Amino acid sequence: MEAKDKLYILWTSGEKITFDEMVYKYALNSLRYHWWKEVTLIIWGASAMLAGKDFVVQQEIKELSGAGVHITACKSCADDLSLSGIFEKMGIEVKYWGVPLTKVLRSEAKLITV
């Protein structure tokens, strides 16, 4: 798959309304309506706390994953916030994202930062 067909959503906001009204809806509809061939949601920073502690957000993340959105989280953030185990139980990939994010930025892939 060409990089230009990939969308990465870098979710850093800890605000639930931002997740509900932008991140969740756009990620889900991007695959549902074939706007992008591949969507990756990166949980980083304050969003990790929301994703790790809010049951409704966790259910919506599971829905996104079931729809084909690749869900991943920054290991450094998850470890600092003691959330790595929770994320792994949810089926979220936990990895260091510094180098991969740099590769995304240097590629033709698209990145939305929220």
Side-chain angles (χ1 to χ4, degrees), residues 11-14 43-53 73-74 77-78 81 83 87:
W11 174 34
T12 62
S13 169
I43 301 168
W44 194 322
S47 64
M49 188 61 76
L50 184 62
K53 302 290 183 181
C74 169
C77 299
L81 298 169
L83 296 169
F87 289 157

Side-chain angles (χ1 to χ4, degrees), residues 50-69:
L50 184 62
K53 302 290 183 181
D54 188 298
F55 179 76
V56 173
V57 170
Q58 290 174 349
Q59 295 307 305
E60 291 171 330
I61 288 171
K62 288 178 184 177
E63 183 180 350
L64 290 174
S65 181
V69 175

Side-chain angles (χ1 to χ4, degrees), residues 1 7 27-32 36-41 60-72:
M1 178 179 318
L7 173 66
L28 185 63
N29 287 328
S30 288
L31 291 178
R32 180 181 288 162
W36 299 96
K37 290 183 181 176
E38 184 178 302
V39 177
T40 298
L41 174 60
E60 291 171 330
I61 288 171
K62 288 178 184 177
E63 183 180 350
L64 290 174
S65 181
V69 175
H70 176 72
I71 312 292
T72 181

Side-chain angles (χ1 to χ4, degrees), residues 17-33:
I17 193 165
T18 300
F19 176 76
D20 289 338
E21 298 301 325
M22 193 289 161
V23 175
Y24 170 75
K25 287 181 179 180
Y26 191 76
L28 185 63
N29 287 328
S30 288
L31 291 178
R32 180 181 288 162
Y33 297 112

